[in-house]
Amino acid sequence: MGDQSLLDRASAAAAEHANVTVSINPATLEKLGHVDNTDLTRLPAMFAAARSAQALWAQQSFAERASHIKKMRDYIVANAEELASIVARDNGKSRVDALATEVLPCALACNWYMKNAAKVLKPKSLGVSSILFFNKRSQVMHVPMGVVGIISPWNYPLSIPFGELVMGLMAGNAIMLKVAAQTPLVGKAIEAIVAAGELPVGLFHHVVGSGGAVSTAFFKHRIDKLFFTGSVATGKQLMAQAAENLTPLSLELGGNDPMIVLADADLERAANGAAWAGYQNAGQSCGGVARIYVDRRVHDQFVTLLAEKTRKMRHGVDTDFELEMGAMTTHNQLKVVERHVQDALDKGARIAAQSSAKGPTPGYFFPATLLTNVHDDMLTMKEETFGPVMAVVPFDSEEEAIRKANNSDLGLTSSVWTRNQAKGKAIAARLETGVTAINDHLYTHGLSETPWGGWKLSGIGRTHVAHGLAEMTHTKVINWDILPAKRNLWWFPFSKHTHQALLAALRFAFPRSLGEYVGSSLKLTPYLLKKMFTSWK
């Protein structure tokens, strides 16, 4: 699992300078470089610059904002291989993985938001709800939050923060970004992408340092909204801090995702999909497959297929693109995975298959691992393992599968595998997750047009698509009269006539008979006209 001398050197490198964040390649444990920590005493000036720039940015048209985002997209496309290499070395995943799940989604996000933000966020007129309000008109508009904070994780250090960054900018906000301490060089790469966009000075700031210190500073300086992706425990801490000033939050806090395989499923596709969604990024995907529930009639056949795919997986240091899985990103997470697997084995689980190492593996590696003979009291079934481990469980009825899939306090994504689309959609509607895919899994985070977020302890709020853009704004209603009335029906002064007119209005709006409709209209109209067009004397 890693050479101790290299681990010691990695730890020493991380502690080498108190005022820098050091990047260690998780696959080789070699020091890649370091990034200077932000002097947090500069934050007041940074916030002031952000607020000043944002006030001007919010006045720009969507087309003007999109012109800057297009420059970022073009930079991403032109530098795709370099960006993938930076992500791979900083995070530990393979370069193919980084290109597919980090770089490509960033370009897609630029394209979608620059083309659709205006349509989503433009002012929209509302219909009149009742004839009683015939003189009223309303419009909903979206006002930028102001200065938006983004605190991002190490598992997708480029695509997660960058997608939110683009949403925030297109919605008219300034951005304060804090990337994970484990992937500081990706933060520098994001700086380069943003610089290519030639944004107004002060609109974007990259803050480097301790996550706790930075989040506390963000709240202290009244960040207008915070977007966080990470652990449930940290999400709860941020909610507690946000409560002091009722700072709005959007939280994506992980998952322990179920996959349901019905008897009529294409088992070859299901096994391929499970291998992808369970082992991709060394299993460090909040929306990856963790628990697989398979109809007992096809359970053994499915396990045989998935075990075969698992054995064909190659993990190791990426030197020639010829491997499927890289390293885990942190030593702590590696220890969690080891503990969960050992707990399962101690309680009777069996390893059906594991991947093979391709060359030396000095870093934080754990083989792709398929477990069978598992049950609900094992840690890997109850908690988020967040590693390349999947557990397969047979079921005897669809009701049992749904019940087991929902037996979790996390609810990010799920999947149903069947040739019957109608049945798949019916089961999907009953699964307690923010996303359910049919005959696929995990990839929807890369779709800018689909909302992303979870239920239960998987978080609150949504990112992506119209929902994500709306989360970057205040929803504001503007209401006005089309006729220059002096008073509304319900304004002062009150009298017996006011009481009678209000009753007439109620019965005019909801008559129980034609006679009541006509009679209440005759009572209401003269009083309403008098109230609207004469002064209170």
Side-chain angles (χ1 to χ4, degrees):
M1 298 300 176
D3 180 81
Q4 187 59 44
S5 63
L6 282 173
L7 282 171
D8 292 340
R9 291 204 298 273
S11 300
E16 186 177 343
H17 301 289
N19 296 320
V20 301
T21 296
V22 176
S23 173
I24 302 296
N25 185 330
T28 64
L29 301 183
E30 296 170 338
K31 178 180 175 180
L32 299 174
H34 68 267
V35 178
D36 291 338
N37 290 342
T38 302
D39 180 356
L40 296 185
T41 63
R42 293 177 46 230
L43 274 186
M46 294 167 69
F47 268 87
R51 296 197 185 284
S52 177
Q54 188 274 329
L56 298 175
W57 178 251
Q59 296 174 23
Q60 292 197 13
S61 68
F62 287 106
E64 289 171 324
R65 296 175 201 165
S67 68
H68 294 274
I69 302 302
K70 182 178 183 298
K71 293 176 182 178
M72 296 185 199
R73 184 199 67 188
D74 292 346
Y75 178 92
I76 291 168
V77 173
N79 296 276
E81 289 181 282
E82 180 184 1
L83 290 170
S85 179
I86 291 170
V87 171
R89 288 184 288 118
D90 221 16
N91 160 276
K93 66 183 67 178
S94 73
R95 285 171 290 173
V96 174
D97 196 341
L99 187 62
T101 66
E102 302 261 24
V103 179
L104 180 59
C106 288
L108 293 171
C110 287
N111 208 55
W112 197 91
Y113 293 111
M114 61 187 268
K115 291 183 176 180
N116 292 280
K119 179 172 60 178
V120 171
L121 296 178
K122 69 180 181 181
K124 295 178 178 63
S125 296
L126 302 178
V128 178
S129 63
S130 169
I131 195 171
L132 297 179
F133 300 113
F134 73 93
N135 196 39
K136 298 293 186 181
R137 295 295 181 271
S138 298
Q139 184 183 73
V140 173
M141 62 185 302
H142 292 279
V143 180
M145 282 283 179
V147 179
V148 169
I150 299 170
I151 298 180
S152 62
W154 43 258
N155 60 327
Y156 291 92
L158 179 62
S159 59
I160 287 178
F162 188 77
E164 293 174 348
L165 183 153
V166 172
M167 281 186 284
L169 290 174
M170 282 305 302
N173 298 293
I175 303 295
M176 306 286 283
L177 171 66
K178 162 71 176 75
V179 302
Q182 294 83 358
T183 53
L185 299 186
V186 177
K188 298 300 290 184
I190 293 174
E191 285 186 27
I193 297 171
V194 173
E198 299 178 345
L199 297 175
V201 175
L203 193 66
F204 168 79
H205 297 272
H206 175 208
V207 182
V208 183
S210 160
V214 172
S215 62
T216 298
F218 279 0
F219 288 123
K220 176 182 177 181
H221 296 291
R222 300 294 184 94
I223 199 87
D224 292 298
K225 185 165 185 175
L226 183 65
F227 287 76
F228 171 76
T229 304
S231 70
V232 173
T234 302
K236 289 180 177 181
Q237 292 171 6
L238 292 174
M239 284 195 76
Q241 288 182 285
E244 183 174 352
N245 294 311
L246 293 182
T247 303
L249 294 173
S250 177
L251 304 175
E252 198 268 87
L253 305 177
N256 190 20
D257 291 3
M259 169 178 174
I260 295 177
V261 182
L262 302 184
D264 71 336
D266 180 337
L267 296 184
E268 174 67 19
R269 178 176 176 83
N272 286 330
W276 152 254
Y279 301 141
Q280 183 270 330
N281 195 27
Q284 299 168 121
S285 299
C286 306
V289 171
R291 300 173 290 140
I292 307 177
Y293 300 102
V294 185
D295 189 299
R296 192 179 298 276
R297 290 170 291 180
V298 295
H299 172 270
D300 292 350
Q301 185 181 353
F302 175 82
V303 169
T304 297
L305 284 170
L306 185 50
E308 180 182 301
K309 314 294 182 187
T310 302
R311 294 187 193 99
K312 288 181 178 179
M313 292 282 297
R314 299 165 294 180
H315 64 268
V317 179
D318 186 3
T319 58
D320 57 6
F321 300 102
E322 298 295 328
L323 55 82
E324 286 68 49
M325 199 174 78
M328 302 194 65
T329 306
T330 75
H331 187 248
N332 285 342
Q333 194 58 42
L334 173 62
K335 290 301 181 185
V336 170
V337 175
E338 291 174 343
R339 178 166 57 85
H340 280 205
V341 171
Q342 189 59 54
D343 170 81
L345 296 177
D346 290 345
K347 293 175 180 176
R350 184 178 69 86
I351 294 177
Q354 288 186 308
S355 60
S356 301
K358 183 176 184 290
T361 54
Y364 307 141
F365 287 95
F366 194 92
T369 300
L370 179 64
L371 296 176
T372 58
N373 198 34
V374 296
H375 45 79
D376 289 345
D377 70 343
M378 295 176 180
L379 292 176
T380 194
M381 300 298 286
K382 296 191 297 183
E383 301 177 8
E384 183 178 35
T385 299
F386 214 60
V389 178
M390 290 188 289
V392 184
V393 179
F395 66 81
D396 294 303
S397 70
E398 291 170 12
E399 290 299 320
E400 179 189 4
I402 293 168
R403 185 176 68 255
K404 286 180 175 293
N406 287 337
N407 183 28
S408 174
D409 58 5
L410 297 168
L412 186 57
T413 80
S414 56
S415 61
V416 182
W417 301 73
T418 175
R419 288 186 171 93
N420 187 329
Q421 292 280 0
K423 179 181 287 188
K425 291 176 182 178
I427 293 175
R430 298 176 61 190
L431 297 179
E432 297 168 353
T433 57
V435 177
T436 301
I438 298 172
N439 297 324
D440 215 325
H441 204 114
L442 181 60
Y443 78 104
T444 56
H445 187 273
L447 296 180
S448 299
E449 66 270 25
T450 59
W452 180 261
W455 298 5
K456 309 178 190 178
L457 294 184
S458 285
I460 56 175
R462 291 294 183 270
T463 59
H464 298 185
V465 74
H467 301 72
L469 285 169
E471 293 257 8
M472 291 286 182
T473 66
H474 294 290
T475 300
K476 181 181 180 67
V477 173
I478 298 177
N479 178 270
W480 66 92
D481 290 340
I482 59 173
L483 296 175
K486 297 184 183 301
R487 289 178 292 163
N488 292 325
L489 175 65
W490 52 91
W491 283 10
F492 302 138
F494 287 168
S495 67
K496 184 176 181 180
H497 291 298
T498 309
H499 183 261
Q500 292 172 337
L502 289 170
L503 285 175
L506 179 66
R507 288 161 185 166
F508 172 72
F510 309 105
R512 291 166 291 184
S513 67
L514 178 61
E516 188 171 67
Y517 175 78
V518 173
S520 59
S521 174
L522 293 175
K523 291 178 183 178
L524 172 63
T525 301
Y527 187 83
L528 178 62
L529 293 174
K530 179 180 179 181
K531 193 97 174 192
M532 288 178 66
F533 299 113
T534 62
S535 298
W536 178 11
K537 296 180 179 178

